[in-house]
Amino acid sequence: MSAARTPLEVFPNPEPGRGYEITHTHHEFTSLCPLTGHPDFATLSVTYVPGASCVELKSLKLYLQAYRQQGVFYEALVNRILDDLKAAMAPRSIQVQGEFRGRGGITSVIVARWPEQRVGQGGGG
């Protein structure tokens, strides 16, 4: 089952000629560990520069809540969310970051970007 079955709705970007950045953060994101079935908790942030459209927040909330009953590894989760948002909005750029709370003494931060950058590459010049 994919959370993509919960549709992501978009609306026209009010300033399509300007390259501004939007960040949405979900502090209570939950999914399930695919091995144990135990809940995984995270802070999930989506940062994007919109193209012609922006994501509507209620649909984003419902889309993210659909993961509560899904067993999925962190890495697959963050990349799937990026792919689904990219397909729905066609942004100029997008980044999805999941900061997963500790389990067994280990925390994880997973970041997926489009267009892709190599790890450690900055935007400076």
Side-chain angles (χ1 to χ4, degrees):
M1 178 179 170
S2 171
R5 293 179 190 201
T6 302
L8 287 162
E9 297 177 22
V10 298
F11 62 91
N13 179 357
E15 293 291 337
R18 180 172 294 142
Y20 64 101
E21 189 173 88
I22 298 170
T23 300
H24 301 303
T25 303
H26 184 19
H27 295 282
E28 299 174 352
F29 181 84
T30 308
S31 61
L32 297 176
C33 172
L35 299 178
T36 66
H38 293 153
D40 289 323
F41 301 98
T43 296
L44 194 90
S45 297
V46 175
T47 302
Y48 68 99
V49 176
S53 61
C54 300
V55 69
E56 192 277 322
L57 290 180
K58 182 178 179 184
S59 75
L60 178 61
K61 176 185 81 167
L62 294 173
Y63 168 84
L64 294 174
Q65 286 177 348
Y67 281 101
R68 287 183 176 173
Q69 299 303 316
Q70 290 189 49
V72 59
F73 288 108
Y74 302 159
E75 297 83 356
L77 172 77
V78 170
N79 280 283
R80 183 185 309 161
I81 292 169
L82 182 133
D83 290 343
D84 289 348
L85 285 166
K86 182 179 160 218
M89 298 189 293
R92 294 181 186 184
S93 64
I94 185 167
Q95 173 177 298
V96 177
Q97 177 171 311
E99 296 180 44
F100 294 86
R101 291 184 184 82
R103 195 169 0 115
I106 298 175
T107 60
S108 298
V109 176
I110 312 297
V111 180
R113 295 179 186 89
W114 181 86
E116 292 182 26
Q117 291 179 331
R118 286 188 219 150
V119 174
Q121 256 188 336

